Structures are given as structure tokens and as C-alpha cells.
């Protein structure tokens, strides 16, 4: 993917969908879908889509600074964590009041870091696969 805007949009959408899916898996792990927790993955997805729009606008404005996938993932992660803090999701509350909602709030943050690590690992694997191909193409072009 050579186009920065397309690459950033793909990274943001994948991170949004992974955050929502990991939240759903956390709910399945808890086995509790009462008192409003069943709609949490949808709320996470909506919040991530808002973060995607804000992040994409940031990449549009500062296009020259966001050329790597890791920078785009860091931008998304920072904005996402800030919106979680602003929305009142407190991960530390679980250690004082151990309920299902507090556990879910803690794992929303944990899931966010896991998604960031998945994107970084994907970027590492992608660069390991593409870099040798680019080098062989450059050498072939020089020999011809």
C-alpha cells in the first residue's frame, strides 16, 4: 500500500474492529450480559469510529509526518485512550470495587494495548516479507 491515506484508513478501521471484537470476547469470557453490558462492544465500535474520523483528519492535515503504520497506530491508540478517559471508563476502579462492569472497563484498556501489539507485529511481519522482495526487484532492475 503506497498511498498514505488508504493505509491509514485501513489501519484505523482494523484497529476499530479488533477493539470491538476483543470487547465481545471479553463479555463472552465474563458470561454476563445483563445490566447494560451487552451493548458495550457496540459502544466501543462507535467510539472507535469517532476516533477513526479524528485520526484520519489528523493524518490528512499532517500527511508528511505519518508515513509508517506504527505512527498511525500510536496516533489511534493515544486518541482512543484519551476518549476512554474522557468518557469516564476507569480501569483502576476494578482494584477497589471488583464487579463485572469494573472488570470489563479494565479489559477495554487491556484489549486496546493488545490490538496495538497485534498491529505492531503485523507491521513487523509485513516489513520482513516486503523488504527482501523490494531489494531483489532493485537488483534485477540494476542488472537489466
Amino acid at each position: 500500500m503506497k498511498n498514505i491515506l488508504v493505509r491509514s484508513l485501513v489501519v484505523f478501521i482494523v484497529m476499530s474492529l479488533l477493539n470491538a471484537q476483543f470487547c465481545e470476547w471479553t463479555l463472552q469470557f465474563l458470561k454476563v450480559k445483563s445490566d447494560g453490558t451487552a451493548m458495550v462492544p457496540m459502544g466501543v465500535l462507535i467510539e472507535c469510529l469517532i476516533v477513526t474520523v479524528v485520526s484520519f483528519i489528523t493524518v490528512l492535515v499532517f500527511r508528511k509526518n505519518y508515513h509508517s503504520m506504527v505512527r498511525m497506530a500510536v496516533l489511534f491508540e493515544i486518541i482512543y485512550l484519551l476518549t476512554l478517559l474522557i468518557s469516564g471508563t476507569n480501569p483502576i476502579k476494578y482494584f477497589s470495587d471488583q464487579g463485572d462492569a469494573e472488570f470489563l472497563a479494565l479489559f477495554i484498556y487491556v484489549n486496546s494495548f493488545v490490538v496495538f501489539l497485534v498491529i505492531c507485529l503485523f507491521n513487523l511481519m509485513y516489513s520482513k516479507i516486503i523488504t527482501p522482495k523490494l531489494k531483489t526487484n532493485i537488483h534485477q532492475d540494476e542488472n537489466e
Side-chain angles (χ1 to χ4, degrees):
M1 286 185 278
K2 298 203 185 262
N3 192 347
I4 294 172
L5 298 178
V6 172
R7 186 182 335 169
S8 66
L9 197 58
V10 167
V11 168
F12 299 151
I13 290 173
V14 166
M15 288 182 77
S16 297
L17 294 175
L18 283 176
N19 274 315
Q21 184 62 50
F22 284 174
C23 187
E24 178 66 32
W25 288 337
T26 303
L27 279 177
Q28 288 178 358
F29 173 73
L30 284 175
K31 296 181 182 168
V32 175
K33 290 210 176 205
S34 61
D35 61 12
T37 58
M39 291 301 290
V40 171
M42 187 60 70
V44 167
L45 183 62
I46 291 170
E47 182 175 3
C48 285
L49 291 177
I50 292 169
V51 170
T52 297
V53 170
V54 172
S55 300
F56 188 70
I57 290 171
T58 304
V59 170
L60 277 174
V61 172
F62 301 107
R63 188 177 302 167
K64 303 235 187 262
N65 294 332
Y66 292 101
H67 53 275
S68 72
M69 205 180 311
V70 175
R71 281 190 182 194
M72 294 174 204
V74 167
L75 172 70
F76 182 89
E77 189 71 20
I78 289 171
I79 295 173
Y80 180 63
L81 292 176
L82 283 174
T83 57
L84 282 177
L85 285 173
I86 290 170
S87 69
T89 306
N90 187 0
I92 301 173
K93 192 174 180 183
Y94 174 71
F95 300 110
S96 63
D97 183 25
Q98 296 183 353
D100 288 336
E102 289 79 15
F103 184 72
L104 183 60
L106 173 69
F107 263 87
I108 287 175
Y109 282 88
V110 171
N111 292 342
S112 176
F113 289 115
V114 170
V115 167
F116 177 72
L117 290 175
V118 165
I119 294 296
C120 288
L121 286 174
F122 176 78
N123 183 43
L124 180 68
M125 289 183 349
Y126 180 77
S127 65
K128 294 290 183 186
I129 292 170
I130 294 300
T131 304
K133 288 182 180 179
L134 290 176
K135 287 182 181 179
T136 57
N137 288 342
I138 290 172
H139 291 303
Q140 286 176 356
D141 291 338
E142 289 175 355
N143 292 335
E144 292 177 358

